[in-house]
Amino acid sequence: MARKTWVIHLLIMIAFLCSCACYQHYADYSLEQEQICHFLNKKHVLNLPNGTAAIVTPHHMFDHWVVNNDRRCTFVFKTREREGLFAVIHKMSFRRDKKGCIDYVRFKRSDGHSTQKFCGNVNLLLSPISESYLDSPENADRPRDYNVFAEYDPIDSGWNSKSSSIETEIFISRDELPAGQSLDLTLVYTPFKDCAQTNPEKYSQLGFDKCIRKEYMCDKIFNCHPNICSDEVSCVYDRFPKDDTATKVTVGAVTTMILCFIIFVMCLWICKKSQKLCWSSDCAGPNACSRPTSFPGEDGGQGSNRGVPTAPMLEVAVSSPVADKDLPPSYDSLFPEQSNPARS
């Protein structure tokens, strides 16, 4: 029982370490999932319960972008009733040329309104808007602080209140990437409520009487549409976050060591249970582990006095002594005069 409890604790620790690499308090989705990017472009609807926000990021799709066909992904995030929804492009590196976007992201609200195609280089944590996007001819007249990389679906306050939803279309061209260029994308979807209908202990006010959950405030992730509110204002954190590659490597190494140790312990336990190894202190041979034991009643109650069988003794044949042979006569008997000079 103690061994089982110990193994359960180790499994819980592994699950905790693996969860450290994910976004806390968010529903984490990857572009590789069929719910997000189906290979037949099938559209899936994903629900966001209890005001939980979602993040969509690529895990390994853009590591080596060498494909034969264009990639198109379509999915919908949907909230509960009496909730609105923000959709923000938190980070993006999509290609564009003089004609327009080669790769793009486009949002569509529940009322059918669609945004324009978004592309270029975006990192809201470092810069509010991409310079390359503003320098394009169709956006030359926009002010420098105008951020368009977002959309929102307002709360339906009618008597027949409906949930809010935003459909997202992602298109990635099969064209080969130029040398030194890479693709990247991070999308954030956050439900919001009217502050009058929220618990002040769990929700924070942003602006225009809109509230989101407190754990999404000042977490280095932009959840709010910039034209309505901001959840990353007056926050105290590093403007240029450090690379977390070392942390991920450390977590992976520790997790691997724990898994190897668990596998080793399980192998020992299996060997002991199947008697593949000898665990007795008086192990003396290959059959020692399976040495028969006597039980009370088998020999008339004399099991404790029963003799222990011993191994047969080896008989060693000893050769008989060699018979004495005739020896040659001694020197004295052959030459007595030389051996006894006194006689001469």
Side-chain angles (χ1 to χ4, degrees):
M1 184 66 182
R3 185 184 292 108
K4 292 182 179 179
T5 305
W6 180 66
V7 173
I8 292 174
H9 289 168
L10 284 178
L11 293 176
I12 294 175
M13 183 182 298
I14 292 174
F16 173 76
L17 291 174
C18 293
S19 64
C20 292
C22 301
Y23 295 98
Q24 295 183 357
H25 310 298
Y26 288 86
D28 190 10
Y29 294 90
S30 67
L31 285 177
E32 292 79 6
Q33 292 180 252
E34 290 189 356
Q35 295 173 309
I36 300 297
C37 198
H38 196 273
F39 69 99
L40 295 178
N41 195 27
K42 183 179 179 181
K43 182 170 60 177
H44 288 86
V45 178
L46 307 171
N47 295 315
L48 297 175
N50 301 323
T52 302
I55 287 186
V56 178
T57 57
H59 286 181
H60 54 78
M61 178 181 290
F62 298 151
D63 292 347
H64 302 283
W65 186 250
V66 180
V67 295
N68 297 324
N69 300 312
D70 298 335
R71 196 68 183 269
R72 189 183 300 272
C73 311
T74 306
F75 55 92
V76 178
F77 276 106
K78 186 178 181 180
T79 66
R80 299 188 304 176
E81 294 182 358
R82 299 187 182 278
E83 287 185 346
L85 182 62
F86 293 129
V88 179
I89 301 177
H90 180 75
K91 188 177 181 181
M92 179 174 62
S93 179
F94 273 8
R95 297 166 291 181
R96 64 178 300 117
D97 56 16
K98 296 180 179 180
K99 297 180 180 180
C101 294
I102 300 176
D103 316 306
Y104 65 85
V105 177
R106 181 162 53 188
F107 299 122
K108 182 179 179 181
R109 298 189 314 209
S110 59
D111 59 0
H113 176 268
S114 297
T115 64
Q116 63 188 64
K117 298 178 181 179
F118 298 138
C119 59
N121 297 317
V122 179
N123 191 338
L124 296 184
L125 193 60
L126 303 180
S127 177
I129 192 168
S130 170
E131 294 295 332
S132 62
Y133 184 87
L134 289 173
D135 292 338
S136 59
E138 62 270 23
N139 299 301
D141 57 341
R142 294 185 183 275
R144 289 286 167 172
D145 59 348
Y146 186 84
N147 195 325
V148 295
F149 297 96
E151 180 59 291
Y152 76 100
D153 195 20
I155 301 174
D156 186 0
S157 58
W159 65 273
N160 188 17
S161 178
K162 298 180 180 179
S163 58
S164 301
S165 64
I166 292 181
E167 177 182 315
T168 304
E169 178 189 2
I170 302 174
F171 177 82
I172 309 170
S173 174
R174 63 182 178 181
D175 295 345
E176 184 178 357
L177 285 172
Q181 187 175 358
S182 61
L183 299 175
D184 197 4
L185 182 65
T186 300
L187 304 176
V188 183
Y189 300 85
T190 309
F192 64 90
K193 294 182 178 181
D194 290 332
C195 294
Q197 300 178 357
T198 61
N199 183 355
E201 296 181 356
K202 296 182 179 180
Y203 283 79
S204 295
Q205 185 173 359
L206 299 171
F208 294 95
D209 196 31
K210 306 302 179 187
C211 290
I212 63 173
R213 288 172 55 172
K214 283 188 174 182
E215 52 264 33
Y216 302 139
M217 300 291 294
C218 295
D219 61 348
K220 299 183 181 181
I221 297 176
F222 283 75
N223 302 87
C224 188
H225 192 291
N227 291 339
I228 299 177
C229 52
S230 178
D231 57 302
E232 301 298 318
V233 174
S234 301
C235 298
V236 180
Y237 51 72
D238 294 335
R239 181 172 177 80
F240 299 95
K242 297 181 180 180
D243 188 10
D244 59 347
T245 303
T247 302
K248 293 181 179 180
V249 171
T250 303
V251 171
V254 173
T255 304
T256 303
M257 293 176 61
I258 295 177
L259 286 175
C260 292
F261 180 73
I262 291 177
I263 294 174
F264 174 73
V265 173
M266 291 180 64
C267 290
L268 290 180
W269 180 78
I270 293 173
C271 291
K272 182 177 180 180
K273 188 174 182 180
S274 58
Q275 295 184 353
K276 294 297 182 182
L277 298 176
C278 183
W279 299 87
S280 176
S281 59
D282 58 348
C283 182
N287 297 324
C289 292
S290 59
R291 183 168 57 238
T293 57
S294 60
F295 297 92
E298 291 185 355
D299 52 356
Q302 302 296 327
S304 59
N305 297 326
R306 186 175 180 178
V308 179
T310 59
M313 300 297 294
L314 296 178
E315 296 182 0
V316 181
V318 180
S319 59
S320 60
V322 181
D324 295 338
K325 296 182 180 180
D326 294 337
L327 299 177
S330 63
Y331 181 83
D332 293 340
S333 63
L334 293 177
F335 304 98
E337 296 178 354
Q338 296 181 4
S339 60
N340 192 2
R343 293 182 180 181
S344 60

